[in-house]
Amino acid sequence: MAKLGSQDLDASRATFRRLAAAFAPHVPPSHLDAYRQAAHATLKLQTSFSPVAEAVAPLVEEGKIWLWSGPWEYGDLTALHTVVDEIILRKEYYFRTNQRDALVIDAGANFGMATYYVKRMGLTSRVICFEPNPECYQRLVRNVAANRFTGVEIHNAALGETDGEADFYFSSDRPLAGSLSPRNAKDNIRCEPTAVRRLSTYLDQPIALLKLDIEGAEADVLEEASGRLAVVENIFCEVHPVHGETPSLLTRTLAVLEQAGFYVHVGRSPWSERAHAERPLTRASHPYSLSVFATRNAARPAA
């Protein structure tokens, strides 16, 4: 590990403290003492370190991360760090609702971190998951069973504009990037048929949160369901623009959300923000993604 200047170390330590504090509700009692000791040791490091990696490390054992409810298989360590950063540190799926029996739709559920988060934080008792990647789907099923979660309905299917079947492209090396489009195809890519379901079929009751992380299908899915979005209170949608597409995926996504009456905020996704942070003009042609947050709830006045 390389030596860092005092300012860089201070910044890393500050981020680590924030992440460790955010992690506090998720550390199981069996790991609490060891976690505190590891955190104390991390803050004494004089060399470069990844705050997310160090915050996760004390809870990782043989391909599983131990959380409040039990062990969760994750498959790929880089993917684990990514979802921890987005879901635990940044709290991207936190929402407010007045619904008594809130329902969450988790499309692109992967190994279940979003489902874990909304259940752990008491945001919902019911979740409908969609995961077309066969490896991630099996991992998700095992995780939900191992953690004794109830009220979780899991579909080995993708969301799309029509019901049926389609080719799904995925790689064990990049479990967060599976797609109905070959646009992400790189080395070790596999293609297998998957079931496809329309989102509108599931919008027959109030939805507290609709989470869409579906790698390029987001505009098609929202357009298909646009006539039923009135039942949805909050939406998180990751958008993956493709150069040359007109209208763009972002334009199409925002048009649906604004027409449906949502307040909308757009920002770069965490990995995209890091990838384009330095000399962004030289990276303008590189792939990127955006996080779209939409809600029907007006901001509360500051206390």
Side-chain angles (χ1 to χ4, degrees):
M1 292 187 291
K3 279 279 187 180
L4 284 183
S6 59
Q7 289 185 339
D8 293 326
L9 269 175
D10 287 345
S12 293
R13 288 167 179 159
T15 300
F16 176 79
R17 287 190 184 95
R18 185 160 58 96
L19 182 53
F23 238 109
H26 306 283
V27 178
S30 59
H31 289 64
L32 191 56
D33 288 342
Y35 191 82
R36 288 170 175 165
Q37 292 172 10
H40 185 69
T42 296
L43 292 172
K44 289 185 175 181
L45 291 175
Q46 297 298 316
T47 50
S48 62
F49 67 91
S50 163
V52 173
E54 292 295 330
V56 167
L59 303 177
V60 171
E61 298 175 9
E62 299 179 347
K64 299 177 181 179
I65 180 170
W66 284 82
L67 298 172
W68 162 79
S69 59
W72 289 78
E73 297 180 42
Y74 58 82
D76 177 79
L77 191 58
T78 299
L80 175 66
H81 292 165
T82 297
V83 297
V84 164
D85 183 23
E86 295 174 352
I87 300 173
I88 303 297
L89 176 58
R90 299 172 185 262
K91 303 179 177 69
E92 288 192 341
Y93 304 150
Y94 179 83
F95 61 90
R96 293 190 176 101
T97 182
N98 292 322
Q99 297 180 30
R100 290 187 176 181
D101 192 19
L103 174 62
V104 168
I105 293 180
D106 181 4
N110 205 271
F111 68 88
M113 184 63 83
T115 293
Y116 161 79
Y117 177 78
V118 296
K119 296 279 277 188
R120 170 60 178 128
M121 302 311 291
L123 299 172
T124 183
S125 59
R126 299 182 297 143
V127 184
I128 300 176
C129 297
F130 295 89
E131 180 48 61
N133 183 318
E135 296 174 352
C136 294
Y137 167 76
Q138 292 296 338
R139 195 172 292 127
L140 174 62
V141 170
R142 290 193 297 268
N143 284 338
V144 168
N147 286 268
R148 301 175 299 281
F149 276 6
T150 60
V152 179
E153 179 182 320
I154 307 174
H155 298 268
N156 186 197
L159 290 181
E161 55 187 332
T162 59
D163 290 327
E165 189 175 274
D167 288 337
F168 184 74
Y169 301 85
F170 67 98
S171 168
S172 299
D173 299 331
R174 304 174 69 230
L176 297 181
S179 175
L180 292 175
S181 166
R183 65 185 178 81
N184 284 329
K186 292 188 178 181
D187 294 341
N188 302 318
I189 202 73
R190 294 162 56 187
C191 177
E192 292 186 11
T194 187
V196 180
R197 298 289 179 262
R198 291 176 299 132
L199 173 62
S200 61
T201 303
Y202 301 87
L203 302 185
D204 58 352
Q205 57 187 304
I207 308 296
L209 173 68
L210 168 62
K211 172 236 167 182
L212 297 174
D213 189 356
I214 50 179
E215 302 297 322
E218 50 275 1
D220 289 341
V221 167
L222 286 171
E223 287 171 350
E224 183 280 322
S226 59
R228 295 193 174 184
L229 289 179
V231 302
V232 181
E233 189 174 5
N234 301 282
I235 296 176
F236 169 88
C237 178
E238 189 167 273
V239 177
H240 302 78
V242 177
H243 178 68
E245 282 195 351
T246 305
S248 71
L249 289 178
L250 179 62
T251 298
R252 292 168 59 196
T253 298
L254 293 181
V256 172
L257 297 178
E258 291 169 354
Q259 186 173 7
F262 287 95
Y263 298 97
V264 179
H265 168 76
V266 180
R268 284 190 297 197
S269 64
W271 76 262
S272 187
E273 184 177 322
R274 290 190 294 271
H276 295 79
E278 185 178 347
R279 298 178 179 176
L281 279 176
T282 67
R283 294 170 168 81
S285 62
H286 294 192
Y288 68 102
S289 67
L290 301 168
S291 298
V292 177
F293 305 88
T295 184
R296 297 191 182 281
N297 301 319
R300 297 179 180 178

